[in-house]
Amino acid sequence: MEMSTYEATVSMIRDLPDNELLLVKEFIKRITSKDEIRKEMYNPYKPLTREEVIEQLSIAKKHADEGRVMEGHRASSNIREKYGL
């Protein structure tokens, strides 16, 4: 008979040495901590450092040099059409 996921997990954890069991416990605490998860989530509106702004501008310039741009009125029109605005 095949073991359930729960049974297999308990079986593996039961055989772990103490130092590895502590690592598993710490990992579980970390992923279940809502505050910790929120801190690590991507935030597109976070303040940028000077270096991050310069990096983003250099990427934008490279895209413009490669012709990977769209006129503003066309981009706005696409957004209005896509979202029904």
Side-chain angles (χ1 to χ4, degrees), residues 1-61:
M1 182 171 195
E2 202 169 306
M3 293 170 76
S4 71
T5 303
Y6 173 79
E7 291 168 331
T9 302
V10 170
S11 174
M12 287 187 299
I13 289 175
R14 195 175 288 136
D15 296 332
L16 286 175
D18 286 344
N19 62 330
E20 290 184 13
L21 188 55
L22 285 173
L23 290 172
V24 170
K25 287 179 181 178
E26 286 302 313
F27 177 74
I28 291 170
K29 281 184 199 175
R30 187 166 181 248
I31 63 173
T32 57
S33 168
K34 291 180 182 177
D35 289 338
E36 188 70 23
I37 291 170
R38 282 190 196 114
K39 287 178 189 172
E40 293 180 13
M41 287 176 53
Y42 172 71
N43 178 0
Y45 305 108
K46 72 176 180 140
L48 299 176
T49 64
R50 183 178 194 274
E51 290 76 22
E52 289 171 325
V53 170
I54 291 170
E55 180 183 353
Q56 288 187 6
L57 288 171
S58 69
I59 292 170
K61 183 175 181 341

